[in-house]
Amino acid sequence: MRNVSIIVASTYNRRGKKFHGIFIVLGVCFFLFISTNNICANSMAGRFDSLAIFVDNNSFSFGAKCHEAVREMYEIASHDADSIHLISRCFYAEATLSFVQGISDSTLIVRLESYLEQIDKEKRPYDYALLLCSLGLFQDALGNYAEAFLNAIKALEIFRKTSDKMFIPKTLNLLGNISGHINILTMAEDYYHEALSLTDPNHLDYYRIKSNIYRLYYSKQEPQRAIDSLKTFTPIIKKKGDQGLLAINYLNLATFYFNISGYDSTYCYSIKAREILETIDNERLTAIMNHNLGIFYYFKEQDYKTALYYLRKAKEGAKEQKNHNHLYSIYYIMAHTFAGLDQYDSAFYYF
């Protein structure tokens, strides 16, 4: 989603000197699995497509079930005559799910790069581009932004040459997320707006791109504009029924209000996010929500014990996901929290 960047692509700001720089801003990636035209209409092909659609629709909300779906997709692909195409789709499903759920596992990149070397990009350009895009997602999740950008650009160039143009806006959205992560905001905005222009306004993807554009206002030091846009956007997201995007919307609002010292609103929107996250399965967003509440109790309430309660829960989630960027931010505020309790040995450990 960091930002979903949905983005989530999400962004972990490690450059800011002020404490508010460690609040998480979430980007959103969106994903659509293209039905395979050259697979016979048999039961296994139908099952594969239904699993791909399930992951696409539920990756934000039902992480464990989606992981099971991806495993079954690989099993079906391994027995198909056109296994290269199906396995490419499997990698993309796995990459999107890992991005959305905040799983940062470098072994996934090794496995994907090994498979990519076996593909003839001249004979199978679409599959090759799909794998490059998957690689970009994995690398973005790990914070390898230069590599992620390069692979996404290569994928976009290939997709522009194919007859199927549906994947172009999805790759543009990914490039927008990556550009935002490296703080090239004008380029990010250009990618998002081009993606928006190529997306059906009736499709949920359209609103996920809009969420990313509103997030950029905050990155451009326009927090009130970001707040006003997201508050207007909230009833639209509710109507669309995307609970994951709604949780991201609330978490971003909490961050934006914190930036302008609107601490009561920060708490309010964090709790709204928690109410949603208790009904869905997204460990990444749950860890971010706990992180945000920990920061709230540290700064606004100066209730260091309660802050540590939430920060420890956030740490557990981030460690489970192997999300080192998020752990960095959590450790940073934990160190200051221990210092506030005069527990300097623990503070030194987390610094």
Side-chain angles (χ1 to χ4, degrees), residues 116-133:
L116 189 61
E117 290 176 355
Q118 304 172 41
I119 306 301
D120 188 332
K121 65 179 180 180
E122 301 300 328
K123 294 181 179 179
R124 308 194 72 107
Y126 188 87
D127 296 325
Y128 192 80
L130 196 58
L131 291 167
L132 285 175
C133 195

PDB file of all heavy atoms in Angstrom, residues 116-133:
ATOM      1  N   LEU A 116      13.487 -15.844 -13.993  1.00  0.00           N
ATOM      2  CA  LEU A 116      13.511 -14.836 -15.059  1.00  0.00           C
ATOM      3  C   LEU A 116      14.608 -15.139 -16.076  1.00  0.00           C
ATOM      4  O   LEU A 116      14.435 -14.902 -17.281  1.00  0.00           O
ATOM      5  CB  LEU A 116      13.717 -13.447 -14.447  1.00  0.00           C
ATOM      6  CG  LEU A 116      13.560 -12.227 -15.355  1.00  0.00           C
ATOM      7  CD1 LEU A 116      12.141 -12.149 -15.922  1.00  0.00           C
ATOM      8  CD2 LEU A 116      13.880 -10.952 -14.590  1.00  0.00           C
ATOM      9  N   GLU A 117      15.722 -15.665 -15.609  1.00  0.00           N
ATOM     10  CA  GLU A 117      16.837 -15.981 -16.502  1.00  0.00           C
ATOM     11  C   GLU A 117      16.468 -17.064 -17.518  1.00  0.00           C
ATOM     12  O   GLU A 117      17.104 -17.180 -18.566  1.00  0.00           O
ATOM     13  CB  GLU A 117      18.047 -16.440 -15.685  1.00  0.00           C
ATOM     14  CG  GLU A 117      18.689 -15.320 -14.872  1.00  0.00           C
ATOM     15  CD  GLU A 117      19.823 -15.826 -13.999  1.00  0.00           C
ATOM     16  OE1 GLU A 117      20.027 -17.071 -13.964  1.00  0.00           O
ATOM     17  OE2 GLU A 117      20.496 -15.004 -13.354  1.00  0.00           O
ATOM     18  N   GLN A 118      15.438 -17.839 -17.217  1.00  0.00           N
ATOM     19  CA  GLN A 118      15.047 -18.942 -18.105  1.00  0.00           C
ATOM     20  C   GLN A 118      14.056 -18.506 -19.187  1.00  0.00           C
ATOM     21  O   GLN A 118      13.740 -19.283 -20.084  1.00  0.00           O
ATOM     22  CB  GLN A 118      14.415 -20.063 -17.275  1.00  0.00           C
ATOM     23  CG  GLN A 118      15.296 -20.585 -16.155  1.00  0.00           C
ATOM     24  CD  GLN A 118      14.550 -21.554 -15.257  1.00  0.00           C
ATOM     25  OE1 GLN A 118      13.787 -22.402 -15.743  1.00  0.00           O
ATOM     26  NE2 GLN A 118      14.750 -21.462 -13.950  1.00  0.00           N
ATOM     27  N   ILE A 119      13.575 -17.275 -19.104  1.00  0.00           N
ATOM     28  CA  ILE A 119      12.536 -16.814 -20.016  1.00  0.00           C
ATOM     29  C   ILE A 119      13.147 -16.072 -21.203  1.00  0.00           C
ATOM     30  O   ILE A 119      13.996 -15.196 -21.032  1.00  0.00           O
ATOM     31  CB  ILE A 119      11.548 -15.881 -19.288  1.00  0.00           C
ATOM     32  CG1 ILE A 119      10.992 -16.560 -18.039  1.00  0.00           C
ATOM     33  CG2 ILE A 119      10.411 -15.464 -20.218  1.00  0.00           C
ATOM     34  CD1 ILE A 119      10.263 -17.850 -18.311  1.00  0.00           C
ATOM     35  N   ASP A 120      12.726 -16.437 -22.395  1.00  0.00           N
ATOM     36  CA  ASP A 120      13.145 -15.745 -23.617  1.00  0.00           C
ATOM     37  C   ASP A 120      12.240 -14.521 -23.793  1.00  0.00           C
ATOM     38  O   ASP A 120      11.067 -14.656 -24.157  1.00  0.00           O
ATOM     39  CB  ASP A 120      13.018 -16.681 -24.816  1.00  0.00           C
ATOM     40  CG  ASP A 120      13.613 -16.083 -26.088  1.00  0.00           C
ATOM     41  OD1 ASP A 120      13.636 -14.832 -26.204  1.00  0.00           O
ATOM     42  OD2 ASP A 120      14.036 -16.857 -26.970  1.00  0.00           O
ATOM     43  N   LYS A 121      12.788 -13.330 -23.549  1.00  0.00           N
ATOM     44  CA  LYS A 121      11.952 -12.128 -23.581  1.00  0.00           C
ATOM     45  C   LYS A 121      11.483 -11.782 -24.988  1.00  0.00           C
ATOM     46  O   LYS A 121      10.498 -11.055 -25.144  1.00  0.00           O
ATOM     47  CB  LYS A 121      12.697 -10.943 -22.972  1.00  0.00           C
ATOM     48  CG  LYS A 121      13.924 -10.492 -23.728  1.00  0.00           C
ATOM     49  CD  LYS A 121      14.556  -9.302 -23.029  1.00  0.00           C
ATOM     50  CE  LYS A 121      15.793  -8.815 -23.739  1.00  0.00           C
ATOM     51  NZ  LYS A 121      16.413  -7.657 -23.052  1.00  0.00           N
ATOM     52  N   GLU A 122      12.161 -12.294 -26.011  1.00  0.00           N
ATOM     53  CA  GLU A 122      11.732 -12.034 -27.387  1.00  0.00           C
ATOM     54  C   GLU A 122      10.514 -12.881 -27.745  1.00  0.00           C
ATOM     55  O   GLU A 122       9.610 -12.424 -28.446  1.00  0.00           O
ATOM     56  CB  GLU A 122      12.882 -12.331 -28.363  1.00  0.00           C
ATOM     57  CG  GLU A 122      14.142 -11.517 -28.111  1.00  0.00           C
ATOM     58  CD  GLU A 122      13.895 -10.020 -28.224  1.00  0.00           C
ATOM     59  OE1 GLU A 122      13.028  -9.616 -29.034  1.00  0.00           O
ATOM     60  OE2 GLU A 122      14.564  -9.252 -27.499  1.00  0.00           O
ATOM     61  N   LYS A 123      10.488 -14.109 -27.252  1.00  0.00           N
ATOM     62  CA  LYS A 123       9.373 -15.015 -27.559  1.00  0.00           C
ATOM     63  C   LYS A 123       8.195 -14.821 -26.614  1.00  0.00           C
ATOM     64  O   LYS A 123       7.052 -15.062 -26.987  1.00  0.00           O
ATOM     65  CB  LYS A 123       9.855 -16.469 -27.508  1.00  0.00           C
ATOM     66  CG  LYS A 123      10.863 -16.829 -28.587  1.00  0.00           C
ATOM     67  CD  LYS A 123      11.261 -18.293 -28.473  1.00  0.00           C
ATOM     68  CE  LYS A 123      12.249 -18.683 -29.576  1.00  0.00           C
ATOM     69  NZ  LYS A 123      12.668 -20.095 -29.476  1.00  0.00           N
ATOM     70  N   ARG A 124       8.485 -14.400 -25.375  1.00  0.00           N
ATOM     71  CA  ARG A 124       7.419 -14.269 -24.377  1.00  0.00           C
ATOM     72  C   ARG A 124       7.516 -12.902 -23.695  1.00  0.00           C
ATOM     73  O   ARG A 124       7.784 -12.800 -22.501  1.00  0.00           O
ATOM     74  CB  ARG A 124       7.515 -15.392 -23.347  1.00  0.00           C
ATOM     75  CG  ARG A 124       7.577 -16.800 -23.948  1.00  0.00           C
ATOM     76  CD  ARG A 124       7.326 -17.841 -22.888  1.00  0.00           C
ATOM     77  NE  ARG A 124       5.940 -17.845 -22.480  1.00  0.00           N
ATOM     78  CZ  ARG A 124       5.064 -18.795 -22.818  1.00  0.00           C
ATOM     79  NH1 ARG A 124       5.434 -19.789 -23.601  1.00  0.00           N
ATOM     80  NH2 ARG A 124       3.831 -18.735 -22.372  1.00  0.00           N
ATOM     81  N   PRO A 125       7.330 -11.839 -24.456  1.00  0.00           N
ATOM     82  CA  PRO A 125       7.517 -10.497 -23.885  1.00  0.00           C
ATOM     83  C   PRO A 125       6.544 -10.178 -22.748  1.00  0.00           C
ATOM     84  O   PRO A 125       6.926  -9.538 -21.775  1.00  0.00           O
ATOM     85  CB  PRO A 125       7.303  -9.562 -25.084  1.00  0.00           C
ATOM     86  CG  PRO A 125       6.492 -10.356 -26.053  1.00  0.00           C
ATOM     87  CD  PRO A 125       6.949 -11.768 -25.889  1.00  0.00           C
ATOM     88  N   TYR A 126       5.299 -10.615 -22.879  1.00  0.00           N
ATOM     89  CA  TYR A 126       4.310 -10.295 -21.852  1.00  0.00           C
ATOM     90  C   TYR A 126       4.675 -10.959 -20.522  1.00  0.00           C
ATOM     91  O   TYR A 126       4.641 -10.312 -19.463  1.00  0.00           O
ATOM     92  CB  TYR A 126       2.924 -10.743 -22.296  1.00  0.00           C
ATOM     93  CG  TYR A 126       1.825 -10.269 -21.380  1.00  0.00           C
ATOM     94  CD1 TYR A 126       1.236  -9.028 -21.570  1.00  0.00           C
ATOM     95  CD2 TYR A 126       1.380 -11.054 -20.326  1.00  0.00           C
ATOM     96  CE1 TYR A 126       0.235  -8.579 -20.731  1.00  0.00           C
ATOM     97  CE2 TYR A 126       0.381 -10.613 -19.478  1.00  0.00           C
ATOM     98  CZ  TYR A 126      -0.192  -9.377 -19.686  1.00  0.00           C
ATOM     99  OH  TYR A 126      -1.169  -8.932 -18.847  1.00  0.00           O
ATOM    100  N   ASP A 127       5.030 -12.228 -20.582  1.00  0.00           N
ATOM    101  CA  ASP A 127       5.414 -12.929 -19.362  1.00  0.00           C
ATOM    102  C   ASP A 127       6.680 -12.334 -18.763  1.00  0.00           C
ATOM    103  O   ASP A 127       6.803 -12.218 -17.541  1.00  0.00           O
ATOM    104  CB  ASP A 127       5.627 -14.426 -19.644  1.00  0.00           C
ATOM    105  CG  ASP A 127       4.339 -15.111 -20.075  1.00  0.00           C
ATOM    106  OD1 ASP A 127       3.264 -14.715 -19.567  1.00  0.00           O
ATOM    107  OD2 ASP A 127       4.400 -16.008 -20.924  1.00  0.00           O
ATOM    108  N   TYR A 128       7.618 -11.969 -19.644  1.00  0.00           N
ATOM    109  CA  TYR A 128       8.863 -11.366 -19.170  1.00  0.00           C
ATOM    110  C   TYR A 128       8.574 -10.044 -18.456  1.00  0.00           C
ATOM    111  O   TYR A 128       9.129  -9.766 -17.389  1.00  0.00           O
ATOM    112  CB  TYR A 128       9.809 -11.139 -20.355  1.00  0.00           C
ATOM    113  CG  TYR A 128      11.223 -10.793 -19.971  1.00  0.00           C
ATOM    114  CD1 TYR A 128      12.119 -11.794 -19.592  1.00  0.00           C
ATOM    115  CD2 TYR A 128      11.675  -9.476 -19.981  1.00  0.00           C
ATOM    116  CE1 TYR A 128      13.427 -11.485 -19.241  1.00  0.00           C
ATOM    117  CE2 TYR A 128      12.969  -9.156 -19.625  1.00  0.00           C
ATOM    118  CZ  TYR A 128      13.844 -10.169 -19.260  1.00  0.00           C
ATOM    119  OH  TYR A 128      15.134  -9.851 -18.897  1.00  0.00           O
ATOM    120  N   ALA A 129       7.692  -9.228 -19.035  1.00  0.00           N
ATOM    121  CA  ALA A 129       7.335  -7.955 -18.417  1.00  0.00           C
ATOM    122  C   ALA A 129       6.611  -8.169 -17.090  1.00  0.00           C
ATOM    123  O   ALA A 129       6.840  -7.438 -16.111  1.00  0.00           O
ATOM    124  CB  ALA A 129       6.459  -7.142 -19.361  1.00  0.00           C
ATOM    125  N   LEU A 130       5.764  -9.186 -17.038  1.00  0.00           N
ATOM    126  CA  LEU A 130       5.043  -9.484 -15.803  1.00  0.00           C
ATOM    127  C   LEU A 130       6.008  -9.876 -14.690  1.00  0.00           C
ATOM    128  O   LEU A 130       5.856  -9.466 -13.534  1.00  0.00           O
ATOM    129  CB  LEU A 130       4.046 -10.617 -16.061  1.00  0.00           C
ATOM    130  CG  LEU A 130       2.934 -10.833 -15.029  1.00  0.00           C
ATOM    131  CD1 LEU A 130       2.098  -9.585 -14.854  1.00  0.00           C
ATOM    132  CD2 LEU A 130       2.057 -12.008 -15.456  1.00  0.00           C
ATOM    133  N   LEU A 131       7.029 -10.634 -15.046  1.00  0.00           N
ATOM    134  CA  LEU A 131       8.051 -11.029 -14.069  1.00  0.00           C
ATOM    135  C   LEU A 131       8.890  -9.825 -13.636  1.00  0.00           C
ATOM    136  O   LEU A 131       9.242  -9.702 -12.461  1.00  0.00           O
ATOM    137  CB  LEU A 131       8.939 -12.121 -14.648  1.00  0.00           C
ATOM    138  CG  LEU A 131       8.261 -13.487 -14.846  1.00  0.00           C
ATOM    139  CD1 LEU A 131       9.131 -14.397 -15.706  1.00  0.00           C
ATOM    140  CD2 LEU A 131       7.976 -14.149 -13.503  1.00  0.00           C
ATOM    141  N   LEU A 132       9.219  -8.935 -14.570  1.00  0.00           N
ATOM    142  CA  LEU A 132       9.964  -7.722 -14.214  1.00  0.00           C
ATOM    143  C   LEU A 132       9.158  -6.856 -13.248  1.00  0.00           C
ATOM    144  O   LEU A 132       9.696  -6.298 -12.289  1.00  0.00           O
ATOM    145  CB  LEU A 132      10.301  -6.921 -15.466  1.00  0.00           C
ATOM    146  CG  LEU A 132      11.425  -7.436 -16.366  1.00  0.00           C
ATOM    147  CD1 LEU A 132      11.520  -6.580 -17.623  1.00  0.00           C
ATOM    148  CD2 LEU A 132      12.762  -7.438 -15.628  1.00  0.00           C
ATOM    149  N   CYS A 133       7.872  -6.745 -13.521  1.00  0.00           N
ATOM    150  CA  CYS A 133       7.005  -5.958 -12.644  1.00  0.00           C
ATOM    151  C   CYS A 133       6.944  -6.599 -11.255  1.00  0.00           C
ATOM    152  O   CYS A 133       6.973  -5.898 -10.237  1.00  0.00           O
ATOM    153  CB  CYS A 133       5.617  -5.860 -13.256  1.00  0.00           C
ATOM    154  SG  CYS A 133       4.577  -4.596 -12.507  1.00  0.00           S
TER     155      CYS A 133
END
